[in-house]
Structure formats: C-alpha cells, structure tokens
C-alpha cells in the first residue's frame, strides 16, 4: 500500500508514520500544498497513492481544500471511482463540522486526535480494494 501522510504537526506526522510504515510505503507532507504536489506527481508517474491521511487544519492549504483539489484532479484525469484514493481525515473534535462538510468531496472516513493505533488500523482494515 502506498500512503501519504499530510499533517503539519511533527508529533502527529511521526506517530502516523510509525503506525503505518509496517503496512506500506509512507511519504509525508507538512501542509496541503505539499500533499497536493505529491499526489499530482504520483498520479502522473502512474504510481498513485492508495491512502492519504489528511489533517484538516494545516497551513498553506487546509485539508478540506486539499481534498477538493485531489478529487477534482482525479475527475479531470478520468480516474474511475473504484480506483480513487481513500482519504482518512485527521481532526480534533472541534472540527467535526468540517468533516461533515468534507463528505461532499468524498472523504472515505475520519479519525479524531489524539490518534489511537488500534482505531486507525481498524479503519484502514475496513477500507476495500487496498
């Protein structure tokens, strides 16, 4: 599984990396613009991400806007729905309204901070086609 971790918080990013590394290759981004660039490059090179763990609150470009651009890029490149990247939003409880709004951009799931290893791995196990 090819994974992109996008979170501006160093501790969260490294925690996600340590949890997910045994399950695939992990790239990291510190903001939404870096995440979008990494996603575009992977898609253009024919090695798209299977999963993106995307923080909602980030500098440069928030997770919600990043997800919107990712879905628009997939649409413009005619990526079939079943092949589109799975996106798990990472958020704090006060962002639940953002999570609800993000569903319109086809967010796959979300998880609350602080990140719990078992909960994250259960969500990933529940994703199909990975």
């Amino acid at each position: 599984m090819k994974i992109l971790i996008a979170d501006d918080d160093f501790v969260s990013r490294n925690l996600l990396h340590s949890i997910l590394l045994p399950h695939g290759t992990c790239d990291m981004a510190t903001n939404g613009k870096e995440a979008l660039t990494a996603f575009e490059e992977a898609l253009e090179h024919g090695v798209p991400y299977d999963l993106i763990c995307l923080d909602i609150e980030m500098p440069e470009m928030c997770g919600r806007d990043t997800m919107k651009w990712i879905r628009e890029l997939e649409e413009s490149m005619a990526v079939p729905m079943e092949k589109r990247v799975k996106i798990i939003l990472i958020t704090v409880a006060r962002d639940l309204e953002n999570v609800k709004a993000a569903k319109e951009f086809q967010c796959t799931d979300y998880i609350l901070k602080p990140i719990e290893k078992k909960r994250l791995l259960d969500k990933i196990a529940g994703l199909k086609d990975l």
Side-chain angles (χ1 to χ4, degrees):
M1 177 169 26
K2 185 171 178 179
I3 304 163
L4 176 61
I5 298 165
D7 196 317
D8 62 314
D9 180 68
F10 178 80
V11 173
S12 295
R13 200 170 51 247
N14 284 314
L15 176 62
L16 284 165
H17 185 262
S18 68
I19 293 170
L20 296 172
L21 189 58
H23 303 280
T25 60
C26 298
D27 295 329
M28 293 194 274
T30 61
N31 62 56
K33 284 186 178 182
E34 286 180 12
L36 186 56
T37 298
F39 179 80
E40 287 176 307
E41 289 175 2
L43 198 57
E44 288 172 4
H45 288 99
V47 288
Y49 288 101
D50 300 301
L51 173 66
I52 299 176
C53 291
L54 184 64
D55 187 21
I56 286 185
E57 289 185 24
M58 290 188 293
E60 302 288 324
M61 180 185 287
C62 70
R64 192 168 151 193
D65 289 344
T66 303
M67 185 169 50
K68 178 182 177 200
W69 281 104
I70 286 170
R71 294 305 186 208
E72 288 177 2
L73 183 59
E74 288 175 323
E75 180 82 21
S76 73
M77 295 184 78
V79 176
M81 290 297 286
E82 67 275 4
K83 299 255 184 201
R84 292 186 182 184
V85 66
K86 307 298 190 258
I87 300 175
I88 296 179
L89 292 177
I90 310 292
T91 187
V92 293
R94 69 179 182 273
D95 286 336
L96 288 178
E97 287 304 314
N98 279 325
V99 171
K100 290 176 188 173
K103 289 287 187 182
E104 74 181 270
F105 303 119
Q106 301 157 357
C107 150
T108 309
D109 209 338
Y110 73 94
I111 191 164
L112 296 176
K113 288 182 180 180
I115 299 162
E116 296 175 22
K117 180 179 180 178
K118 183 180 180 337
R119 179 167 282 151
L120 177 61
L121 293 178
D122 286 348
K123 288 189 180 282
I124 291 170
L127 300 177
K128 295 181 175 31
D129 302 322
L130 288 183

